């Protein structure tokens, strides 16, 4: 049966529970084409059951596709996840190229770049990238906070390294970036930059590194069994009117159990 998606006020419950943005994440169980009187309708099967998602012409849709290493070029917005070397560079296991960003407009913070399939999970998703990177997913159960992580999960999170920004130079398999400023946090004493993770300004890749591209797509790109995340408010019946929809094909990593995995390495909630 169809269930209600999270409301705009976020999840509630026990202390320490992760607040989630309104929307739903899961696997596409059914797609109904648009008609003269109704938009594209997508049934999304997630951890809370099946949720109806309406995708209109105004919905910002992006999809992730596999790319070769040769797709890297100067001026591109990229994110790379992997492990950090002693020099501070990142040895990338997964690289994402954000084709949705306008030239020179790489967004600060990880959500905009997306690094979802290697995301640490738990934090709120960010920009249109919506979970774009490749590699082994480091997802944690919905509602996970730092205080509820096991020692093994804490170590796994601590080992995550990220490089993100605009490509300035490429030398062989070494890529150097201009890192954008972190998103600002406004407090009663003013606005200050804030970023959960240290972002490296370079990375290297090898034969085992996976490459993905995030590109704009039409609603018709949604297909059965795709992994999707829809953001938007829920109506009186619990259906989501999507303002943004991200698509990952089957086999490109399981869909996230929390919105942090979908939006990039946002860190765990709390």
């Amino acid at each position: 049966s169809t269930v209600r998606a999270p409301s705009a006020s976020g999840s509630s419950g026990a202390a320490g529970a992760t607040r989630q943005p309104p929307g739903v994440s899961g696997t596409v169980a059914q797609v109904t084409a648009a008609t003269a009187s109704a938009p594209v309708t997508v049934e999304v099967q997630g951890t809370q059951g099946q949720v109806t998602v309406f995708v209109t012409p105004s919905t910002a849709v992006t999809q992730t596709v596999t790319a070769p290493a040769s797709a890297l070029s100067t001026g591109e917005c990229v994110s790379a996840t992997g492990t950090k070397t002693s020099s501070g560079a990142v040895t990338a296991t997964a690289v994402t190229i954000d084709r949705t960003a306008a030239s020179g407009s790489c967004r600060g913070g990880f959500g905009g770049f997306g690094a979802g399939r290697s995301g640490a999970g738990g934090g709120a998703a960010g920009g249109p990238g919506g979970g774009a990177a490749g590699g082994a997913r480091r997802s944690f159960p919905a509602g996970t906070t730092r205080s509820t992580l096991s020692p093994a999960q804490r170590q796994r999170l601590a080992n995550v390294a990220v490089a993100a920004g605009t490509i300035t130079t490429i030398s062989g398999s070494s890529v150097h970036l201009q890192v954008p400023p972190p998103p600002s946090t406004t407090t009663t004493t003013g606005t200050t930059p804030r970023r959960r993770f240290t972002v490296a300004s370079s990375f290297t890749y090898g034969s085992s590194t996976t490459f993905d591209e995030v590109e704009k797509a039409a609603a018709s790109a949604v297909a059965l069994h795709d992994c999707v995340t829809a953001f938007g408010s829920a109506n009186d019946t619990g259906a989501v009117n999507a303002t943004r929809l991200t698509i990952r094909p089957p086999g490109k990593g399981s869909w996230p159990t929390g919105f942090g995995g979908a939006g990039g390495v946002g860190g765990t909630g709390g």
Side-chain angles (χ1 to χ4, degrees):
S1 61
T2 301
V3 298
R4 181 178 295 274
S7 65
S9 60
S11 303
S12 60
T18 301
R19 293 175 61 86
Q20 291 186 346
V24 63
S25 190
T27 303
V28 175
Q30 180 179 327
V31 181
T32 303
T35 66
S37 59
V40 173
T41 303
V42 182
E43 297 296 331
V44 179
Q45 188 70 39
T47 56
Q48 296 180 336
Q50 187 163 298
V51 176
T52 299
V53 175
F54 297 121
V55 185
T56 70
S58 63
T59 303
V61 182
T62 59
Q63 65 178 349
T64 298
V65 297
T66 300
S70 59
L72 294 172
S73 62
T74 56
E76 297 279 10
C77 295
V78 299
S79 64
T81 56
T83 57
K84 185 172 291 187
T85 66
S86 58
S87 66
V90 172
T91 300
T93 57
V95 177
T96 294
I97 304 169
D98 185 358
R99 301 289 189 192
T100 67
S103 177
S105 66
C106 291
R107 298 167 293 278
F110 301 114
F113 293 111
R117 199 151 39 111
S118 294
R137 172 179 286 277
R138 291 180 170 89
S139 61
F140 300 111
T144 296
T145 66
R146 290 184 183 276
S147 63
T148 62
L149 290 175
S150 69
Q153 289 173 324
R154 287 175 182 270
Q155 184 59 48
R156 192 169 63 182
L157 181 61
N159 288 338
V160 174
V162 176
T166 305
I167 297 177
T168 55
T169 60
I170 302 173
S171 178
S173 60
S174 297
V175 181
H176 294 269
L177 312 170
Q178 179 181 348
V179 179
S184 298
T185 298
T186 301
T187 66
T188 55
T189 59
T191 300
T192 58
R194 181 174 182 269
R195 180 177 275 144
R196 288 182 181 270
F197 285 79
T198 299
V199 182
S201 60
S202 63
F203 67 89
T204 60
Y205 63 88
S207 59
S208 62
T209 305
T210 59
F211 291 83
D212 286 334
E213 291 179 347
V214 179
E215 58 188 22
K216 294 179 181 179
S220 57
V222 181
L224 196 63
H225 306 309
D226 277 348
C227 303
V228 300
T229 299
F231 298 90
S233 59
N235 63 22
D236 291 342
T237 67
V240 173
N241 297 305
T243 57
R244 181 159 60 90
L245 181 78
T246 67
I247 308 168
R248 295 187 61 82
K252 296 294 288 182
S254 60
W255 55 268
T257 54
F259 284 87
V265 183
T268 53

